[in-house]
Amino acid sequence: MGKVLMKGNEAMALAAIKGGCDAFFGYPITPQNELPEYLSKHMQANGRVFVQSESEVAAINMVYGAAGAGARVLTSSSSPGIALKQEGITYIAGAELPAVIINVMRGGPGLGGIQPSQGDYKQITRGGGNGDYYLYSLAPESLQEAVDLIKESFEIADYYRNPVMIAVDGLIGQMMEPVDFDHEVKKWDLKPKDWVADGDRKSHPKNIINSLYLDPTDLENHNLKLKKKYDDMKANHQRYEMINMENAEIAIVAFGSTSRIARTAIQLLKEQGVNCGILRPITIYPFPEKAFKELPKEVKDLVVVEMNTGQMIDDVKIATMGTHNIHFYGRVGGIVPEAEEIVDAVLKARGESNE
Amino acid sequence: MGKVLMKGNEAMALAAIKGGCDAFFGYPITPQNELPEYLSKHMQANGRVFVQSESEVAAINMVYGAAGAGARVLTSSSSPGIALKQEGITYIAGAELPAVIINVMRGGPGLGGIQPSQGDYKQITRGGGNGDYYLYSLAPESLQEAVDLIKESFEIADYYRNPVMIAVDGLIGQMMEPVDFDHEVKKWDLKPKDWVADGDRKSHPKNIINSLYLDPTDLENHNLKLKKKYDDMKANHQRYEMINMENAEIAIVAFGSTSRIARTAIQLLKEQGVNCGILRPITIYPFPEKAFKELPKEVKDLVVVEMNTGQMIDDVKIATMGTHNIHFYGRVGGIVPEAEEIVDAVLKARGESNE
Amino acid sequence: MAKGRIIIDEDKCKGCNLCTFYCPVHILELNKEKTNARGYTPLMVTDPDKCIACSFCAMMCPDSVITVERFIKEDNHG
Amino acid sequence: MAKGRIIIDEDKCKGCNLCTFYCPVHILELNKEKTNARGYTPLMVTDPDKCIACSFCAMMCPDSVITVERFIKEDNHG
Amino acid sequence: MSNTKIVYEKSKALEDVHLSYCPGCTHGVIHKLVAESLVELDILDRAVGISSVGCSALNYDFFTCDMQQAAHGRAPAVATGIKRFKPDSIVFTYQGDGDLGSIGIAEAIHAAHRGENMTIVFVNNAIYGMTGGQMAPTTLIGQKTTTSPEGRTEAQAGLPLRIAELMATIPGATYIERVSVHDPKHVMKAKKALKKAFEIQKNKQGFSLIEFISTCPVNWGMTPKKAVDWAVDNMIPYFPLGVYKDKLAGENK
Amino acid sequence: MSNTKIVYEKSKALEDVHLSYCPGCTHGVIHKLVAESLVELDILDRAVGISSVGCSALNYDFFTCDMQQAAHGRAPAVATGIKRFKPDSIVFTYQGDGDLGSIGIAEAIHAAHRGENMTIVFVNNAIYGMTGGQMAPTTLIGQKTTTSPEGRTEAQAGLPLRIAELMATIPGATYIERVSVHDPKHVMKAKKALKKAFEIQKNKQGFSLIEFISTCPVNWGMTPKKAVDWAVDNMIPYFPLGVYKDKLAGENK
Amino acid sequence: MINEQLIIAGFGGQGVMLMGQLLSFAATNKDINTLWFPSYGPETRGGTANCSVTISEESVNSPVISKPDSLIIMNKPSLAKFQDKLKKDGCLFINTSLVKDVPIRDGVNVYKIPANDIASKLGNPKVANMVMMGAYLAVTKVFSQEDIIEVLKEKFVGEKASLIGINQEALNEGAKAVTL
Amino acid sequence: MINEQLIIAGFGGQGVMLMGQLLSFAATNKDINTLWFPSYGPETRGGTANCSVTISEESVNSPVISKPDSLIIMNKPSLAKFQDKLKKDGCLFINTSLVKDVPIRDGVNVYKIPANDIASKLGNPKVANMVMMGAYLAVTKVFSQEDIIEVLKEKFVGEKASLIGINQEALNEGAKAVTL
Ligand SMILES: Cc1ncc(C[n+]2csc(CCOP(=O)(O)OP(=O)(O)O)c2C)c(N)n1
Ligand SMILES: Cc1ncc(C[n+]2csc(CCOP(=O)(O)OP(=O)(O)O)c2C)c(N)n1
Ligand code: SF4
Ligand code: SF4
Ligand code: SF4
Ligand code: SF4
Ligand code: SF4
Ligand code: SF4
Ligand SMILES: [Mg+2]
Ligand SMILES: [Mg+2]
């Protein structure tokens, strides 16, 4: 199978099938509808499970059940739909179940709009549900990367027994690009799922899937156990890409489709004699703090570019703790910045700090 | 009316009535049940609205409707219930409606436990819903403060046309303390509610309550308008208390009931000759970054104390940007730290940085 | 002789053709010659004299394109 | 003559008294003299000879405290 | 010219704007009935409409009364909030079969359960129109949608829900009727039902729901007239028209 | 002694642990019926139970089969996830009237709507036991609870929901019955109903729900026996026992 | 100056919570600062229950009492759980009707009150808590019996008023048990 | 080396999206990088629609095209919206059947094609988009007509296969319209 031209949503759906997804549960919402639509056709054809649930709340709880029974499960939605899933997500994290969740972000808050956005950065990276938990969160910038990461995400979810969030925006969902579905992706070292509660008592003793710990000492221990996972993610599985950073004098920090636009921007900047790098977080949780340690000394200014009002700035601040000047350029509400706007933002930041 | 001894949940309920709350919508959940129970009796007796809704989701949407019709509205819940309300909350923020939400936090994630916790710090301060919005979030440490802030919160909500979150934990909900309900609280400069959609067309032209903006330019403008509010909150309405800070050599950062325990801890520390201050955020959004500028120069070490795995650390880092050493002591899962544990944590932090 | 007449707000018409099926005297049809501001082919009356002002067309129009008037003189003959 | 007998797992009994109302021969009652490990007053049989092994008590007990045995000899008489 | 009388015109409860519906979609017809009822019962100036999420999401711009736009499925909860606080207002929700029948079934049931004095305008077009034609709970067996590409099957998705029948079992509900707008006669009948529902609300007699059989020419892939005929031939047999509950007259049907 | 036969003993589908229920609470009786049915139908070793949120939240520790604890109201969705992935498992949910009737009504309805091949054990005790006695959708008119301190009134809270009746209208549901456990005769009847429901599932014949009239002596403020009597005198008249739907036998009632 | 930190512990249903609340109400009546905080075990029904009461003329800080001045122990498991927390020279009140054959730590003042037995003798086993309260007041003198009776009079109105007599008797008997 | 950035704009229903996709499919067939991105106006039905297509032998970055090399304009509002974005000396293809009496900017190469009229003459008004495509290909030579026809053959299978003929004609007529 060579490269195939597909719509992002469909490519992500096919990637899930290739990643061994056993079951999909979801509810329609723009701009991700082609994803469940594709799966409604192709999951059943492959003997796998597709259910259009009555709501996002039901979908995420179906995910809980199927994951608890040992399935590789996917759900997808867009911003307000993800907001509705928050209770279910915290349950899945609390019960230590693997699951993959795709958020094709649109403008908010509330019903907002249906155009591309990165406005859920905090919802995704800080957890919108209750309690101490995090989602391993991946933000691909192209369809090829989305496909590769989704295939791998089922491995990661199983490895950590924790939900993995794929954070993309309407651009990725709606665009078409040629994709190679047969890229090898990393296989994680997985233990057998001996903890499943699937009724198959011929193969295992009684299992319980649960997030309730009425005894505070038990719950504290449980919380500390979860924290270890998050610490491990932070220590060992930050992902990022450094683009054009060797001789950079300034750098953009951008994730997902915004970083693609930034790629065009740095070409334009080069034409103007400005050497600008891009620090591209691939995991937005854990945030790639390590990348900031690798910035060349010449880079004193960081221009954060997002399709929101600046939600990643906090993380950049935490990663740098005062070592860099942080600038911001953002567009909101479904407006996608053009490369020229980013160029101007970089030039302005450069000007300011040269003043 | 002199001081009255009341359970925290009931005192908060009565405070809402005193704050002019017109309507309450909520669904039972431990450890806040006495709050709706009290209101089920006393709202109707006062000719106001009390509805036990079918779910948290319904409750928050009833809040939306009543707030849109001009009511001062309250809902309350505890952690997983608040997770369920996230879509509704982002709608309320998006439609610019005033509302007061009380979260009596319990241990998480998932169903977790029913003992006190501060595990929802990020859910509260980062917004668990989609899009760019924030909640003005108050974290009282005593029943008197809870009562005063709740009374005022209806003013704040009306002023900003934005939801206000009261973040307390099971300790505050369950404890009894004498409270004076007649404290004067700040009156904010409120404009008439000429934007309500209540069907009373004899008193105003057609009004629409809405968070949908299909045109990205409109949505961008809307987002920027909302951002102005949040910037105003940050610039003008950070709240905090500096305790025993004059001659402090080290300081604790703690909010809500944890700060009360810290108050006992600093007395014990004084007995040991250690002068320790407390920086107590009262607003956890906007985070009181200004307070950190006021720390005495001698204070180089900050010990963050929370009933979670360290969710406030990010904000302390952002507020200090590398100027201070940040230490952490936390208990989780419903375990409340004892003053002695905090003493040890402070001594340890002091020792470490003296090494 | 017409009992009344209909007035068509051509710019609002979406050319959906729904109304035409319900006219008992079959005098409605889309005007293929025209395109309105939104690009639709609007409704027209082929034989106004036959209109009985029954309002069926108007009732069925989702876009309130049609106003129906009854001629009052007619009533006097009744 | 007893047709059977019941065995009471006293430590599981919550002394709720529910079962006693359903014994057709009225031989069940709480044992006020005793307190079990959880602080409950457990069930006792006042007149074992009357037990007809009907299981009504056991069926009504929410805590599976009661086991019922039937004497088999009795069957042979039937 | 002076001797004419207007016997049908655009309702003054409708704004003079272009409706966002596709050509020939019966959402528009139902809007007119809502508008006319409000005017004829003289309750327009105390009405609050709740737009839901579906093709009708934007209808806050179409009605001339106060409007609130509700989250997907939650319109009856929003309506409850308004109505409890303003008991003299007239509150109606306008909801699709995805909005009410799927994600929002709990809120609809519980508004009826509490006997909220409100009116639900329920538009059943057997599909998710807004999002491009996915299966709805009311999608018929065999009907092709984008998420039932081979046609809905009982094995995969169950048998279609009948909302009027379900709501009629709720002790708190006052009036439930299913109507259709496929021809002028039924339009008139539908309007009568809707007016009755609003009148019940005006008289503070409780909860009413009118289910409208409606069309979605675009996602059904038919001309508007064909769509109307399809509804008559396929939907009405499975969703029979009639009064399912009338507490004021004793329980009918 | 050797000549005895055990005619009643604790089911092997129940763990040998102390149940967390209050003394005399009929939750325990219903647990026994579930356990005995699983054993007698020989489906224990492929069963997965779903604990819901309510007094029975902890029953993952009581049954000896695999268990999953579900979020409040969502047990039927969790069950759907399991059952679709493992069609040969036997899946049941155990839910209270708050859990199923209030917050979770949508999930229950839609599991039935899709015709999921599962069994719901629905425990109606007319109150929220776990959280200390708040009003439930099934709380009777006049019944005092902590959120209806003067007794439930129709004006404030509507008329109590009848779940079995409501679920019976759903085309996708196969078997719906309401039973009670207030005396040995009814316990036996209840068990028959529950076994029938599980048998239907075993035969892959679809969705079943058995509603149990149950007690809450503590929050009703009564002794266990008085509570049982109160249920007979007050609940059963409003919630009549019987088969509400039996698709396999044609529609009864 | 009053500055008392007290933990009361027992089974749910023994009136542990009420005892603490009565003390806090008495403090409030006298405009003295107070804080009452309950804690239930993981078992909702029939589990352990305890409450912390602080009464102080200074402002009350931590609701959590790590080193109580006094301890009222209504049942066996509570003794094991709490006795080590008690301050040196603190007062330990034990309901010996239910707490028997348990080693008791040194360095504290122990008061043994067969509260259930006394209460049963008074004809109402439920007032065992007030017997303990009587003993506690007699020893610590935090409040007078009258202060508590006043609170009872405020709270027990209507039908319940008739219960005040037996509570008074229980307080007396409790006091006697430690002062004889 | 191909490096083409194109915006196609018109009403929903004019086949604007399909045109762009055909170009992207043709690129993929030749293993050339490409990116297609749609944009719909705020109106779901009957509103404006446009798509951006990048075809490049280098890797494709921004999906958003700020300075297109070419512009295919199917209706009036689209001309107003996009013409200023066009690169200097870029190619502007205008469907003059629907775009009349509108000022056109300077500094670009303008190609006027009465696409609807041509399509109607061919007997199928729906192929106006393919007429424009024919003109576009003839001028820019990004792909040959055969490349496009190949894609159509892959996509139009079964019943739809019969449509290939008229599409081919439309391409031809479009080419003629700009080469005569
Ligand atoms: C929480 C949430 N989930 C999903 C959506 C996406 N959505 C918008 S409209 C709609 C379905 C509408 O269908 P229906 O209610 O039948 O109305 P119709 O468009 O058919 O009139 C959906 C699923 C949303 N906006 N919010
Ligand atoms: C999302 C959420 N909302 C509320 C609660 C609190 N809660 C726990 S149990 C319960 C009610 C249980 O009542 P019911 O289902 O009738 O069961 P019962 O205890 O009566 O058996 C509630 C509201 C919760 N845990 N989660
Ligand atoms: S009013 Fe009646 S007769 Fe006249 S055009 Fe309309 S449908 Fe035909
Ligand atoms: S008048 Fe109305 S119904 Fe008739 S074609 Fe025009 S839009 Fe359609
Ligand atoms: S088995 Fe029957 S007769 Fe024997 S004790 Fe039990 S209820 Fe009584
Ligand atoms: S045996 Fe069972 S029913 Fe009888 S008193 Fe004991 S717990 Fe209650
Ligand atoms: S998509 Fe369907 S329901 Fe929506 S407006 Fe168009 S035709 Fe009507
Ligand atoms: S609270 Fe009620 S329902 Fe819950 S265990 Fe106790 S008696 Fe049973
Ligand atoms: Mg629909
Ligand atoms: Mg219940």
Side-chain angles (χ1 to χ4, degrees), chain G residues 89-128:
Chain G
D89 299 325
C91 297
L92 176 55
F93 300 85
I94 302 178
N95 173 9
T96 47
S97 299
L98 297 184
V99 188
K100 288 174 186 145
D101 315 320
V102 189
I104 297 173
R105 66 171 270 207
D106 292 335
V108 295
N109 303 306
V110 180
Y111 303 90
K112 300 182 176 180
I113 306 105
N116 286 59
D117 299 310
I118 296 174
S120 295
K121 263 184 229 146
L122 290 174
N124 187 341
K126 291 211 162 171
V127 295

Side-chain angles (χ1 to χ4, degrees), chain E residues 220-240:
Chain E
W220 294 358
M222 300 174 192
T223 66
K225 178 59 167 64
K226 280 240 173 76
V228 156
D229 294 342
W230 190 88
V232 172
D233 295 343
N234 297 278
M235 290 181 72
I236 293 179
Y238 191 83
F239 301 115

Side-chain angles (χ1 to χ4, degrees), chain E residues 19 24 42 46-47 51 63 84 92 100-101 109 127-128 132 140 143 149 167 174 181 199 208 214 219 230 251:
Chain E
L19 304 188
D42 195 22
R46 52 194 181 107
S51 313
F63 293 108
R84 290 283 178 131
F92 69 92
L100 184 144
I109 285 177
I127 209 154
Y128 286 19
L140 297 177
Q143 193 183 335
M167 296 295 292
T174 300
V181 293
E199 234 170 331
S208 52
S214 190
N219 287 301
W230 190 88
E251 312 221 336

Side-chain angles (χ1 to χ4, degrees), chain C residues 6 23-25 27-28 51-57:
Chain C
I6 66 168
C23 175
V25 295
I27 58 173
L28 295 176
C51 178
I52 58 170
C54 67
S55 294
F56 284 4
C57 55

Side-chain angles (χ1 to χ4, degrees), chain E residues 97 125 127 129:
Chain E
D97 46 346
N125 60 5
I127 209 154

Side-chain angles (χ1 to χ4, degrees), chain A residues 243-251 274-278 295-300:
Chain A
I243 301 156
N244 191 42
M245 203 60 94
E246 305 74 44
N247 303 307
E249 50 173 300
I250 187 166
V274 179
N275 224 327
C276 180
I278 303 174
L295 285 171
K297 278 197 206 63
E298 294 66 36
V299 172
K300 288 271 158 271

Side-chain angles (χ1 to χ4, degrees), chain E residues 147-162:
Chain E
T147 51
S148 59
E150 316 294 335
R152 177 177 184 157
T153 63
E154 182 179 355
Q156 159 67 9
L159 296 170
L161 261 190
R162 294 188 175 106

Side-chain angles (χ1 to χ4, degrees), chain A residues 25 51 54 57-59 61-63 65, chain F residues 50-53 68 70-84 91-96 99-101 103-114 116-121 167 207-209:
Chain A
F25 305 95
V51 177
E54 62 271 33
V57 169
N61 285 287
M62 291 174 185
V63 166
Chain F
I50 322 291
S51 314
S52 61
V53 179
Q68 295 200 19
H72 195 31
R74 317 307 174 193
V78 171
T80 299
I82 301 168
K83 190 74 187 199
R84 290 282 179 133
V91 178
F92 69 93
T93 70
Y94 187 106
Q95 305 178 256
D99 193 84
L100 183 145
I103 192 170
I105 191 72
E107 285 74 16
I109 285 177
H110 281 282
H113 159 227
R114 290 187 303 269
E116 300 294 346
N117 185 33
M118 60 166 69
T119 303
I120 291 185
V121 179
M167 297 294 293
F207 180 91
S208 52
L209 177 147

